[in-house]
Amino acid sequence: MYLYLYCITKALHKPLINVVGIGNANVRAFQYEDIVAILSEVVMAKIPVSNGNVLRHAAVIEAVRKEQTVLPMRFSSVFHGDTAMLEFLKSRYAAFVSDLGQLHDTLEMGIRVIQKKVQNTEITQSGVKQEFGVGEQLTASPTPDLQPPASPAMSYLQQRRIYYASQDENDEWVHEIVKTCHAQFEDICIKHKRDLHTSFSQGVALNYLIHKDSLNEFKNRFNDLKSSLNELHFLCSGPWPPYHFVSPGDGRE
């Protein structure tokens, strides 16, 4: 028998009734000291990634989060029986208790900021930089007849200089966006993080940890930010469990 772990919490305020997990299995609580693991039984050690499974994983966490603080676990956190689960809870007990205290009554909100008109840059196999402006048609620039062709080495250095100059501009833009967003939520934000796994073309992804009582104020400030910078495209998601603000450790987000 395998046990699928959804989240860690304190003693349940309400019993888990009609909460269904992966594979339509009943969800139950597994207690160690004063912490509780929310889990269900599964038939395999690795759960396949599918929309249904991912949504069910999130739904169980959300059902518990509505009642109390949770520490969400990574998708497909599977343990081989009660003994393995107990050892995991023992080994991570101090970190779990600390996080549950620090993250009590908190929520996570996500923001993504995208340039409405992004110029894509590609480096071809030959090293030539090509730019594609959205909605623009490019025309070739004729080379003056009297200008001698640059050597391959010089052309390469010029291309790299242009490429890194573009990167510097992107870095400067990202820095200003992050600074502006943080200032907007500074006095209601407990912690914040930037998702560095997001590529520049996907926008700037920021995560904010706030107290649950600040949710409406956060939404109002987000709308003000969105209105004041209408040349950018803003997306807001949440509230979520504090996925990005738990201590690092095996099995967790």
Side-chain angles (χ1 to χ4, degrees):
M1 180 187 67
Y2 295 97
L3 299 177
Y4 186 102
L5 180 59
Y6 300 91
C7 59
I8 302 293
T9 187
K10 289 280 193 175
L12 294 175
H13 297 164
K14 294 182 179 180
L16 295 171
I17 300 176
N18 297 326
V19 179
V20 179
I22 300 291
N24 293 322
N26 291 328
V27 173
R28 62 182 175 90
F30 182 104
Q31 186 160 355
Y32 170 71
E33 299 289 346
D34 55 346
I35 62 174
V36 172
I38 304 301
L39 52 81
S40 66
E41 295 182 6
V42 290
V43 297
M44 59 186 72
K46 186 172 180 60
I47 304 301
V49 178
S50 68
N51 286 339
N53 287 340
V54 171
L55 290 175
R56 180 55 54 192
H57 171 91
V60 172
I61 296 173
E62 182 61 18
V64 182
R65 186 200 68 80
K66 288 181 178 179
E67 302 296 334
Q68 57 197 78
T69 302
V70 299
L71 305 179
M73 309 303 291
R74 183 187 303 121
F75 178 81
S76 197
S77 296
V78 179
F79 297 82
H80 195 184
D82 289 359
T83 301
M85 177 64 67
L86 183 61
E87 289 302 315
F88 174 69
L89 296 178
K90 286 181 178 179
S91 66
R92 298 290 301 161
Y93 177 76
F96 288 153
V97 170
S98 176
D99 278 359
L100 286 168
Q102 294 181 38
L103 299 176
H104 180 63
D105 283 344
T106 62
L107 302 169
E108 179 176 324
M109 297 296 292
I111 290 179
R112 190 181 295 267
V113 188
I114 306 171
Q115 288 182 308
K116 288 186 177 180
K117 185 177 180 180
V118 180
Q119 189 173 39
N120 297 320
T121 301
E122 292 185 1
I123 303 297
T124 66
Q125 291 182 350
S126 62
V128 177
K129 176 173 175 289
Q130 297 180 343
E131 295 181 343
F132 304 89
V134 177
E136 297 175 350
Q137 182 176 358
L138 295 181
T139 58
S141 299
T143 304
D145 294 336
L146 298 179
Q147 182 179 347
S151 67
M154 184 60 69
S155 295
Y156 174 79
L157 291 176
Q158 290 174 345
Q159 291 154 14
R160 300 314 292 169
R161 177 183 59 80
I162 294 171
Y163 171 76
Y164 284 116
S166 174
Q167 292 297 100
D168 290 341
E169 290 176 4
N170 291 345
D171 289 344
E172 183 177 353
W173 180 83
V174 169
H175 175 76
E176 290 301 317
I177 289 298
V178 171
K179 181 179 178 181
T180 301
C181 290
H182 288 350
Q184 183 76 354
F185 307 108
E186 182 176 12
D187 57 332
I188 63 170
C189 170
I190 300 171
K191 292 182 180 180
H192 55 71
K193 286 187 177 181
R194 179 185 166 203
D195 185 356
L196 297 177
H197 299 293
T198 304
S199 67
F200 178 78
S201 63
Q202 295 174 311
V204 179
L206 304 172
N207 302 292
Y208 291 92
L209 183 70
I210 63 172
H211 192 274
K212 66 178 184 179
D213 293 339
S214 300
L215 179 58
N216 288 336
E217 178 65 18
F218 185 94
K219 291 179 178 179
N220 291 335
R221 294 192 186 194
F222 171 79
N223 289 331
D224 291 341
L225 180 67
K226 182 178 178 180
S227 299
S228 65
L229 297 173
N230 55 19
E231 72 276 12
L232 301 172
H233 186 49
F234 284 84
L235 300 172
C236 182
S237 65
W240 305 105
Y243 284 99
H244 290 88
F245 299 95
V246 293
S247 300
D250 291 343
R252 289 202 284 165
E253 293 283 0

